[in-house]
Amino acid sequence: MRGVAVAAIALTSVMSMAACAKDSTSSSAGGSSNASSGSGCKLNTPPTAAAAGSSTTTSSTKVDGSALKVGLAYDIGGRGDASFNDAAAAGLDEAKAQLGVKDVKETTASPNESDAAKADRLRQMAQQGYNPIVTVGFAYGPALQTVAKEFPNTKFAIVDSTVENSPNVTPLTFTEEQGSFLVGVIAAYKSKSCHVGFVGGVNVPLIQKFQAGFDAGAKAAAPDIKIEDKYITPAGDNTGFQAPDKGRLVAQGELSAGADVVYAAAGNSNKGVFDAAKSKSGSYAIGCDSDQYKQPTVADDKDIIISSMMKRVDTAVYDFVRGVAANDLTSIPKVFDLAVGGVDYATSGGKIDDIKSTVDAYKAQIISGAIKVPSTLSGS
């Protein structure tokens, strides 16, 4: 199991930082803080300590997974979405390369697919001897609740959810709000208008975690920042994760309202958000889940992708498959957070090199517990 060992740093909390906030720039747009970022925001004095040195360790024990038959059930969009599902696919590909897994079966959910249809596909894989089976997305929860009981000797995992009273189901959950806080800081520092936006795929509690963290991070960096928060579809309509055209329209609305940096947490719909940002001069976007700057399916927009909130679904999937192959799941974290490298921010493209030390300092505060990032929206 690969973890990130980070020394805890005793720093002031975000509340005291906000209470003691002062303008670290001159009255013009080019003070010492704004000079490096180009931000039009009145920025809080950033944390003074950089992130502690960290190291990633990987078990040297050789694990043979060649005898496994691995099933992977994607959420809508499947392999090729350049985001959430592709992160899971990367974990499966790593299992093939590192563990020798040869026999795999990949399936993909249809938009607004019924729980019964999901259960049928999972049941079919289990009947065919696939073990373990990884389900990608909270939408598989009800189906897995049923199927896991029917196949008690099959090991299942579910990304972004838990299944109660199912000992053969391993939850793979993340602190999306922590990574989103960091890209909220990035957005505040890179916005020239001090006006940013969030585009969520579907208005459900999971995606609200992304918004809660992003809004908190942007306001921690710049208390007076203006934020547009919108969702592509309401709860119950999961097509918001696979509707680039709708994502483009929502992002265009936020950009027209004055936002110049938009954070997209909308799966395959992120492509539309990126297109909207590219079409408006001076606008930028932040991706989600995968390092979207590196994804070939959105390569046309890479010049406006300044960062991505990295949700290491690839790590979680690989570690689960490896654990099954080794017959030891005890090393899998209860939650994949910043401290174990389960979430992070991407630096590909070099567009945030000038503020990396500042973002890392906020990161250290979260890891140490000095900053408590909200995981729910105010009033929800």
Side-chain angles (χ1 to χ4, degrees):
M1 178 61 203
R2 300 163 302 169
V4 178
V6 182
I9 298 176
L11 296 170
T12 57
S13 69
V14 67
M15 294 304 294
S16 63
M17 181 181 68
C20 299
K22 63 179 181 178
D23 185 4
S24 61
T25 70
S26 67
S27 59
S28 68
S32 61
S33 178
N34 287 348
S36 63
S37 65
S39 177
C41 293
K42 179 179 179 180
L43 297 168
N44 266 338
T45 302
T48 56
S54 62
S55 61
T56 301
T57 57
T58 303
S59 173
S60 60
T61 305
K62 180 68 175 177
V63 173
D64 182 6
S66 60
L68 295 181
K69 296 178 64 174
V70 181
L72 187 59
Y74 295 113
D75 206 345
I76 61 172
R79 185 188 279 265
D81 72 345
S83 183
F84 182 60
N85 289 297
D86 267 359
L92 180 62
D93 292 344
E94 186 177 4
K96 293 177 184 177
Q98 300 297 326
L99 307 176
V101 173
K102 297 180 177 63
D103 192 345
V104 301
K105 182 171 185 177
E106 301 174 52
T107 67
T108 302
S110 302
N112 294 328
E113 179 181 74
S114 69
D115 292 336
K118 285 184 173 62
D120 284 344
R121 288 191 297 105
L122 297 180
R123 191 176 290 116
Q124 184 179 49
M125 281 196 287
Q127 288 171 339
Q128 293 172 346
Y130 286 92
N131 184 13
I133 296 172
V134 181
T135 59
V136 184
F138 64 86
Y140 279 98
L144 196 51
Q145 182 82 62
T146 298
V147 177
K149 289 180 173 60
E150 296 174 4
F151 297 91
N153 295 322
T154 298
K155 291 181 173 63
F156 297 89
I158 182 167
V159 176
D160 284 345
S161 189
T162 59
V163 178
E164 298 298 327
N165 302 316
S166 299
N168 57 329
V169 178
T170 299
L172 305 174
T173 58
F174 301 79
T175 55
E176 293 89 355
E177 69 277 8
Q178 292 183 346
S180 296
F181 183 101
L182 298 181
V183 297
V185 171
I186 290 169
Y189 270 78
K190 289 301 178 180
S191 174
K192 291 182 172 61
S193 63
C194 202
H195 193 163
V196 300
F198 169 82
V199 177
V202 182
N203 194 354
V204 292
L206 173 66
I207 307 304
Q208 289 171 7
K209 288 174 68 179
F210 290 81
Q211 181 195 333
F214 176 77
D215 290 0
K219 290 176 182 176
D224 296 329
I225 197 167
K226 186 172 182 180
I227 305 174
E228 306 287 332
D229 292 309
K230 292 184 174 59
Y231 290 83
I232 297 172
T233 56
D237 181 0
N238 289 336
T239 61
F241 293 126
Q242 197 181 14
D245 289 346
K246 292 180 180 179
R248 183 184 299 108
L249 289 174
V250 172
Q252 284 173 342
E254 294 188 346
L255 294 166
S256 295
D260 58 1
V261 180
V262 182
Y263 174 37
N268 197 42
S269 298
N270 282 13
K271 169 63 175 171
V273 176
F274 299 157
D275 288 346
K278 188 178 178 73
S279 68
K280 187 170 175 117
S281 178
S283 299
Y284 296 97
I286 296 172
C288 191
D289 296 332
S290 299
D291 184 352
Q292 298 209 270
Y293 181 90
K294 295 181 176 180
Q295 298 301 309
T297 56
V298 293
D300 290 346
D301 296 325
K302 66 187 298 183
D303 57 316
I304 56 88
I305 300 174
I306 59 174
S307 183
S308 295
M309 195 286 280
M310 298 281 287
K311 179 174 172 179
R312 300 306 303 267
V313 177
D314 56 338
T315 297
V317 169
Y318 173 80
D319 285 348
F320 172 69
V321 175
R322 187 182 189 281
V324 173
N327 196 30
D328 180 13
L329 296 172
T330 60
S331 61
I332 294 179
K334 297 296 184 184
V335 61
F336 288 83
D337 60 9
L338 270 178
V340 300
V343 293
D344 211 332
Y345 70 99
T347 60
S348 298
K351 296 178 177 63
I352 60 169
D353 287 352
D354 58 325
I355 61 169
K356 186 177 184 303
S357 61
T358 295
V359 182
D360 282 346
Y362 279 103
K363 176 179 174 180
Q365 285 199 326
I366 295 171
I367 291 172
S368 73
I371 290 179
K372 305 292 186 183
V373 182
S375 59
T376 59
L377 300 176
S378 174
S380 64

